[in-house]
Amino acid sequence: DSGVTQTPKHLITATGQRVTLRCSPRSGDLSVYWYQQSLDQGLQFLIQYYNGEERAKGNILERFSAQQFPDLHSELNLSSLELGDSALYFCASSAPGGGDTQYFGPGTRLTVL
Amino acid sequence: TQLLEQSPQFLSIQEGENLTVYCNSSSVFSSLQWYRQEPGEGPVLLVTVVTGGEVKKLKRLTFQFGDARKDSSLHITAAQPGDTGLYLCAGDFFDSNYQLIWGAGTKLIIKP
């Protein structure tokens, strides 16, 4: 158990819909990272937050947005969903400093039908 | 643009064989991490190497960081089915902010 929690574990929805994925980092970690992993592929970095503020942006689509709240949990919002958005979405957290070891949550498997 | 290339992309071998997978870049990293990911789960950190030329051993796994801190290798001795998974390397590159660069991974299958 990494100490990072993600909900829900599975999500099935239809094209055009909007979903919210939730992540709670390890206690004391200030950084939260979001990744997308499609079938049999590596991790695609989406976005990083540090103590409530956006720190780095990767290949995140305009239809996707994220935020980190004062209690440090984070949400990833995916809208106007397309079939190609079906993937595993991972959240990771790291200790203050931003570049340290990342601890991954169990992921949310999103299926868009 | 910093890039981490992992090779091979896919490797399937018999139990008991030895193997080496590689992680290469043209950039210098302050540290490099190796993760293993099992199907349906998040990556789990195996080791972090920091010093050029450093060698770390984790049971049957040997990790080496290149002298110039641009490349790394993971060697597995007497592979077992439990070693099956996706092996990811990630380099810590300091620019204006710390930035972890991820390789695409090596998918390893150990057949009993």
Side-chain angles (χ1 to χ4, degrees):
Chain A
D1 186 354
S2 66
V4 178
T5 60
Q6 288 187 249
T7 57
K9 191 165 178 62
H10 300 278
L11 196 50
I12 301 174
T13 188
T15 54
Q17 295 298 305
R18 171 190 166 96
V19 297
T20 297
L21 313 184
R22 195 177 193 278
C23 168
S24 292
R26 293 187 322 155
S27 177
D29 285 358
L30 300 182
S31 281
V32 169
Y33 309 78
W34 286 99
Y35 292 90
Q36 179 192 59
Q37 187 177 41
S38 300
L39 189 64
D40 286 338
Q41 293 191 11
L43 295 172
Q44 296 295 318
F45 169 64
L46 296 178
I47 197 164
Q48 177 200 356
Y49 279 82
Y50 180 80
N51 202 21
E53 296 195 0
E54 184 182 305
R55 171 64 71 91
K57 220 169 189 176
N59 299 320
I60 187 166
L61 300 172
E62 286 191 10
R63 300 183 285 109
F64 297 180
S65 65
Q67 58 185 131
Q68 186 179 28
F69 295 87
D71 67 353
L72 300 177
H73 90 272
S74 178
E75 293 181 356
L76 178 67
N77 300 296
L78 315 176
S79 61
S80 302
L81 285 168
E82 301 174 0
L83 295 177
D85 297 327
S86 296
L88 269 169
Y89 291 84
F90 288 105
C91 165
S93 72
S94 67
D100 295 330
T101 302
Q102 293 186 16
Y103 296 88
F104 284 79
T108 292
R109 180 173 291 282
L110 173 67
T111 303
V112 182
L113 301 175
Chain B
T1 301
Q2 297 79 34
L3 192 65
L4 264 177
E5 294 186 355
Q6 290 192 245
S7 60
Q9 288 183 312
F10 178 79
L11 186 58
S12 178
I13 61 172
Q14 291 294 137
E15 179 178 3
E17 293 183 11
N18 302 331
L19 66 108
T20 303
V21 298
Y22 301 91
C23 176
N24 296 302
S25 174
S26 58
S27 299
V28 175
F29 293 95
S30 57
S31 67
L32 195 134
Q33 301 167 9
W34 283 92
Y35 290 78
R36 188 175 84 191
Q37 183 182 18
E38 298 188 20
E41 299 182 9
V44 175
L45 179 70
L46 295 173
V47 77
T48 301
V49 286
V50 179
T51 307
E54 181 177 4
V55 176
K56 279 192 173 178
K57 291 194 174 185
L58 190 67
K59 295 184 181 177
R60 293 175 295 100
L61 278 59
T62 302
F63 303 84
Q64 184 162 7
F65 202 14
D67 290 341
R69 305 209 314 274
K70 293 183 178 182
D71 54 85
S72 181
S73 63
L74 158 59
H75 181 80
I76 301 179
T77 303
Q80 297 178 2
D83 297 326
T84 293
L86 180 67
Y87 288 80
L88 295 157
C89 65
D92 192 350
F93 176 80
F94 182 73
D95 192 358
S96 55
N97 293 299
Y98 281 108
Q99 189 180 150
L100 202 60
I101 308 298
W102 289 84
T106 292
K107 187 170 184 178
L108 177 62
I109 294 176
I110 310 299
K111 296 177 285 188

